[in-house]
Amino acid sequence: MAEITIKYLAQKLNLAPSTVSRALNDSHEISDATKMKVLALAEELNFQPNPYARSLREQKSKTIGVIIPERINNFFSQVIDGMESVTRAYGYHLLVYNSNEDTEQEKNILSLLIGGRVDAIVMSISRFDQKSDHIDKLKKRNTPVVFFDRISTNFPTTKFITNDYEVGYQGTVHLIEKGCKKILFLMLSNENSNGIERLRGFKDALKKKNITFEANWVIECSHSDEKNIALLESIFYKLDRPDGVLASVEKLALATYRALSRTHIKIPEQVRVVSFSNMKIADLLHPPLTTISQPAYEIGEECAKLLIKKLTKKNQPDLEDKIVTIPSVFTERESSK
Amino acid sequence: MAEITIKYLAQKLNLAPSTVSRALNDSHEISDATKMKVLALAEELNFQPNPYARSLREQKSKTIGVIIPERINNFFSQVIDGMESVTRAYGYHLLVYNSNEDTEQEKNILSLLIGGRVDAIVMSISRFDQKSDHIDKLKKRNTPVVFFDRISTNFPTTKFITNDYEVGYQGTVHLIEKGCKKILFLMLSNENSNGIERLRGFKDALKKKNITFEANWVIECSHSDEKNIALLESIFYKLDRPDGVLASVEKLALATYRALSRTHIKIPEQVRVVSFSNMKIADLLHPPLTTISQPAYEIGEECAKLLIKKLTKKNQPDLEDKIVTIPSVFTERESSK
DNA sequence: TTTTTATGTGCAATCGTTTCCGAAAAATTA
DNA sequence: TAATTTTTCGGAAACGATTGCACATAAAAA
């Protein structure tokens, strides 16, 4: 019931709290004999130092805050698994928040975290807004921040992404070479950093292949699955329907599948589909989905490694302002045959 | 740079720290005039009380620890989303850990949390072992614990599950009525609480329908997808193959799909499949999968609500030792037509 | 005017650690 | 043996917030 404290151990052993503390932290100024005694009792009583007292004193929490825009998403789950694999090894903890693709929530979470609850922050931003003042505020603090996937381009820190441009290009070329002449580019919101890069790859591929891009090929979708499906249905219902789809986000590929199934349009015979996706069961869809999948676990590991290094080593410089690219992998399946 | 503290505010305003603290906490013994002044300055400087100082003093962290056996899993993601939706409203934080279906890791995580880092724990245990002493240890502590889905039956607290027995029964009856005579029950490990209930429903349904159960219909699978697929392939390769499958876990249904696809056995013509699953795209599989899906979000909400109540209200009794059942929903699709 | 009461504020202790500083005891050197 | 250094430990002050208690001051009652 009554928590076991250092003071209690000290009293039991007829030592000063300072001595016990030092013994537990294996300080060189404590004799081996007393160290043994202290460790033995601590072990016996299953002593765990109070993390909050320690945090208060040391001015660090051994906790990293993570903000993602969506939790029910294989990509983000894998990223967090990757992070946890390294943070746990270093005794760090992960506080994970879901901003639900909502800038307002993101702002609230950020202000929660800024109070000193975490030593560092990892985030994938909900919207790539111009007015990201809540993120800019972070600059004034000395809390290290790292971005991944959906990054804030003008915030000076390290960002982890995949080769969005190249792979957007590659996916588009693939569709064209399969015979597509009119390809839709589906994006979630026109303002995400990676979406923009993927779109750039898309456009450049069209140009390279001498297909003239038309503005209405870019479909800006919402976060509502139902709305997206309805929108796509209306598009595919027309006579001069597209014959290819590059979905920049998994959920849009699924919306496409649903829309095409409702309108009885066949994949890949009538429309070929390629999607960015980290789904593990892309091969079990009907038809199996051609994917561009991101190295999610690895991205998580890298984010965590970088922060742990910054937090645990002495005299580390500020996080370098650069973009680290980890390549995605393209897997061809039935949906684009 | 220098953190803003209550002491700093007090100095700026020519007040005592205690007065500032009381003003911020809206104490009745502070005049409205000074309250205004304090609040104004706090607002202006964007003051956030140090959470660790507060935790130390108040002996509570406003943090709940969550342990799940797997993160890349829609069910658990939904549960956590549900929890977060209520904890955030009350200013509580979520520390989430993945035990990776491993009792050893679970034990380590638990001992991390026990040090007072969290005010309460929510968990879905990795294995239903007899020797769950690491969980029993929690009893001695006064940290409230709640279980969900994979519960520890003999630990006296509130547990949230779904009507595993009924729905296992229902799924089996469904398969039988579709004409199945030899049905496999796929479980992840023979020792999970919910698996056992589902199996009981399975057996009772067979009995009810006058089908004699055979022990080798219960397949205990591992956590390796590849092994499971190979195992299932070998089973379906035989002549007297089963004509139905009830998968107690989503990943086993997927393994079944893969195994059947490799052996060129048709679903549902040759084998009908029903699975417990919270996949959102069960309808996009080939063929669409008949599912029993758990009310994951709601389970998360209920866990959190219960704990928040226990933690925020005065003089709350210990968590009642009972099982709360929230029903699953059965959705028939092509895979069991 | 004096006494009582209500109101507003400050002082100091506390939560459990870590660490600076100093001091005794032991070991080394002169 | 005396002087010096090294080893080992204790005292006390932090870290930043909350809160019991005391003490002013002003308002109300006698």
Side-chain angles (χ1 to χ4, degrees):
Chain A
M1 205 52 103
E3 289 301 322
I4 299 168
T5 70
I6 282 199
K7 211 182 289 180
Y8 178 80
L9 293 184
Q11 183 187 316
K12 277 278 178 199
L13 292 166
N14 239 321
L15 287 173
S18 51
T19 306
V20 176
S21 170
R22 275 185 272 246
L24 291 170
N25 293 323
D26 200 29
S27 160
H28 66 276
E29 42 185 348
I30 298 298
S31 70
D32 287 345
T34 51
K35 266 185 201 170
M36 300 284 275
K37 279 197 301 189
V38 172
L39 266 332
L41 186 64
E43 179 76 16
E44 181 194 332
L45 298 181
N46 217 295
F47 168 75
Q48 293 273 79
N50 182 306
Y52 297 109
R54 182 178 272 176
S55 289
L56 177 59
R57 171 65 216 226
E58 307 232 286
Q59 301 288 54
K60 58 185 170 192
S61 59
K62 299 202 96 178
T63 304
I64 293 174
V66 182
I67 307 179
I68 53 173
E70 190 180 15
R71 204 190 308 263
I72 306 171
N73 179 312
N74 281 315
F75 172 69
F76 291 111
S77 296
Q78 286 172 251
V79 170
I80 296 174
D81 261 354
M83 286 193 224
E84 191 179 358
S85 75
V86 354
T87 52
R88 266 239 297 284
Y90 288 88
Y92 273 71
H93 301 259
L94 248 31
L95 235 25
V96 183
Y97 302 84
N98 178 358
S99 69
N100 288 297
E101 305 272 13
D102 176 359
T103 309
E104 207 51 42
Q105 287 190 48
E106 192 172 270
K107 196 183 297 185
N108 294 338
I109 296 163
L110 231 30
S111 70
L112 280 181
L113 294 189
I114 262 181
R117 191 172 287 274
V118 297
D119 296 340
I121 295 175
V122 180
M123 65 185 294
S124 194
I125 61 178
S126 61
R127 300 178 65 86
F128 186 62
D129 281 335
Q130 260 54 39
K131 50 174 181 59
S132 57
D133 20 326
H134 61 296
I135 292 173
D136 291 339
K137 253 189 216 164
L138 284 171
K139 283 182 204 163
K140 291 178 196 149
R141 314 226 120 231
N142 48 2
T143 311
V145 184
V146 155
F147 294 94
F148 71 93
D149 194 50
R150 306 205 198 159
I151 66 178
S152 173
T153 43
N154 57 353
F155 190 102
T157 186
T158 306
K159 301 121 188 172
F160 293 89
I161 58 170
T162 68
N163 51 347
D164 290 304
Y165 171 81
E166 286 80 2
V167 89
Y169 185 96
Q170 183 185 357
T172 311
V173 165
H174 169 79
L175 285 170
I176 296 168
E177 288 177 347
K178 290 294 177 180
C180 296
K181 303 247 181 287
K182 177 174 181 181
I183 306 172
L184 253 36
F185 183 85
L186 270 34
M187 63 195 308
L188 208 47
S189 129
N190 61 333
E191 315 180 89
N192 274 129
S193 56
N194 47 11
I196 288 171
E197 280 303 292
R198 291 168 188 178
L199 178 56
R200 205 163 61 80
F202 174 75
K203 286 180 181 171
D204 280 6
L206 292 178
K207 188 178 293 174
K208 175 80 178 180
K209 290 287 183 178
N210 294 313
I211 295 186
T212 47
F213 166 75
E214 291 180 32
N216 64 3
W217 290 6
V218 176
I219 314 293
E220 293 174 15
C221 299
S222 72
H223 291 293
S224 152
D225 287 331
E226 272 315 315
K227 278 188 193 163
N228 293 336
I229 294 170
L231 172 64
L232 290 167
E233 270 190 84
S234 76
I235 289 171
F236 284 106
Y237 195 73
K238 294 182 195 151
L239 274 181
D240 58 336
R241 76 167 71 101
D243 54 8
V245 167
L246 179 60
S248 76
V249 176
E250 181 177 298
K251 67 158 64 166
L252 296 180
L254 300 174
T256 305
Y257 267 53
R258 292 209 161 87
L260 292 178
S261 140
R262 289 189 195 172
T263 47
H264 301 289
I265 296 172
K266 293 237 160 59
I267 308 173
E269 293 82 354
Q270 296 170 279
V271 177
R272 276 173 249 271
V273 181
V274 170
S275 177
F276 283 81
S277 165
N278 274 65
M279 215 180 342
K280 283 188 160 178
I281 53 169
D283 62 317
L284 290 181
L285 294 186
H286 180 55
L289 175 64
T290 296
T291 58
I292 296 163
S293 66
Q294 299 166 274
Y297 193 89
E298 198 181 342
I299 288 178
E301 283 181 315
E302 293 304 320
C303 287
K305 274 185 202 164
L306 180 69
L307 286 177
I308 292 284
K309 184 176 169 201
K310 164 79 175 160
L311 293 174
T312 56
K313 301 209 172 179
K314 284 281 172 207
N315 294 343
Q316 286 291 306
D318 281 352
L319 262 26
E320 218 178 322
D321 182 13
K322 67 170 178 185
I323 294 182
V324 178
T325 305
I326 306 176
S328 287
V329 337
F330 180 85
T331 308
E332 182 180 340
R333 297 199 183 84
E334 288 284 325
S335 72
S336 64
K337 266 262 160 69
Chain B
M1 204 54 100
E3 289 301 322
I4 299 170
T5 70
I6 281 200
K7 211 183 288 180
Y8 179 80
L9 292 184
Q11 183 188 316
K12 276 279 179 199
L13 292 166
N14 240 321
L15 288 173
S18 50
T19 306
V20 175
S21 169
R22 274 184 270 248
L24 290 171
N25 293 324
D26 201 30
S27 160
H28 67 277
E29 41 186 349
I30 299 296
S31 70
D32 286 345
T34 52
K35 267 185 202 170
M36 299 284 275
K37 279 199 301 192
V38 172
L39 266 331
L41 186 63
E43 179 75 15
E44 182 194 332
L45 298 182
N46 217 296
F47 169 76
Q48 293 273 80
N50 183 306
Y52 297 110
R54 182 178 270 176
S55 290
L56 176 59
R57 171 67 215 223
E58 307 230 288
Q59 300 287 51
K60 57 185 171 193
S61 59
K62 299 201 95 178
T63 304
I64 293 174
V66 183
I67 307 177
I68 53 173
E70 189 179 16
R71 204 191 307 264
I72 306 171
N73 178 312
N74 281 314
F75 172 69
F76 291 110
S77 296
Q78 287 173 248
V79 169
I80 295 174
D81 260 354
M83 286 194 227
E84 191 179 358
S85 75
V86 353
T87 52
R88 266 241 295 284
Y90 288 89
Y92 273 71
H93 302 259
L94 248 31
L95 235 27
V96 183
Y97 301 84
N98 179 358
S99 70
N100 287 296
E101 305 271 14
D102 176 359
T103 309
E104 207 53 41
Q105 288 192 45
E106 191 172 271
K107 198 183 296 184
N108 293 339
I109 296 164
L110 231 30
S111 69
L112 279 181
L113 294 189
I114 261 180
R117 191 172 287 274
V118 297
D119 297 339
I121 295 174
V122 180
M123 66 186 292
S124 194
I125 62 178
S126 60
R127 300 178 66 86
F128 187 62
D129 281 335
Q130 259 55 39
K131 51 175 179 60
S132 57
D133 20 325
H134 61 296
I135 291 174
D136 291 339
K137 252 188 218 165
L138 284 171
K139 283 184 205 162
K140 291 179 197 149
R141 312 226 121 231
N142 49 2
T143 311
V145 184
V146 155
F147 294 94
F148 72 93
D149 194 50
R150 307 207 199 157
I151 65 178
S152 172
T153 42
N154 58 353
F155 191 102
T157 186
T158 307
K159 300 122 188 169
F160 294 89
I161 57 169
T162 68
N163 51 347
D164 289 304
Y165 171 80
E166 285 81 1
V167 90
Y169 185 96
Q170 183 185 357
T172 312
V173 165
H174 169 80
L175 285 169
I176 297 169
E177 288 177 348
K178 289 295 175 179
C180 296
K181 303 247 180 290
K182 178 174 179 181
I183 306 172
L184 252 37
F185 183 87
L186 268 34
M187 63 195 307
L188 209 47
S189 128
N190 63 334
E191 314 180 89
N192 275 130
S193 56
N194 47 12
I196 288 171
E197 280 303 293
R198 291 167 188 179
L199 177 56
R200 205 164 60 81
F202 173 76
K203 287 182 179 170
D204 281 6
L206 292 177
K207 186 178 294 173
K208 175 79 178 182
K209 290 287 183 177
N210 294 315
I211 296 186
T212 47
F213 166 75
E214 291 180 34
N216 63 2
W217 290 5
V218 176
I219 313 293
E220 292 173 16
C221 299
S222 72
H223 291 293
S224 151
D225 287 332
E226 272 315 315
K227 278 189 194 163
N228 292 336
I229 295 171
L231 173 64
L232 290 167
E233 270 191 85
S234 76
I235 290 171
F236 284 106
Y237 195 74
K238 294 184 194 152
L239 274 180
D240 59 337
R241 75 166 72 99
D243 53 9
V245 167
L246 179 60
S248 76
V249 177
E250 181 177 297
K251 67 159 64 166
L252 297 180
L254 300 174
T256 305
Y257 268 53
R258 293 210 161 86
L260 292 178
S261 137
R262 288 189 196 172
T263 47
H264 301 288
I265 295 172
K266 292 239 162 57
I267 309 173
E269 294 81 355
Q270 294 168 281
V271 177
R272 277 173 248 271
V273 180
V274 170
S275 176
F276 283 80
S277 165
N278 275 63
M279 213 178 343
K280 283 188 160 179
I281 53 168
D283 62 317
L284 291 181
L285 295 187
H286 181 55
L289 175 64
T290 296
T291 58
I292 296 164
S293 67
Q294 298 167 274
Y297 193 88
E298 198 181 342
I299 288 177
E301 284 181 314
E302 293 303 320
C303 288
K305 275 186 201 164
L306 180 69
L307 286 177
I308 292 285
K309 184 176 167 200
K310 164 79 177 160
L311 293 174
T312 56
K313 301 209 174 180
K314 284 280 173 208
N315 294 341
Q316 287 289 306
D318 281 353
L319 263 25
E320 218 178 321
D321 182 12
K322 67 170 177 185
I323 294 182
V324 178
T325 305
I326 306 176
S328 288
V329 336
F330 180 84
T331 308
E332 183 180 339
R333 296 199 185 83
E334 287 285 323
S335 72
S336 64
K337 267 266 160 65

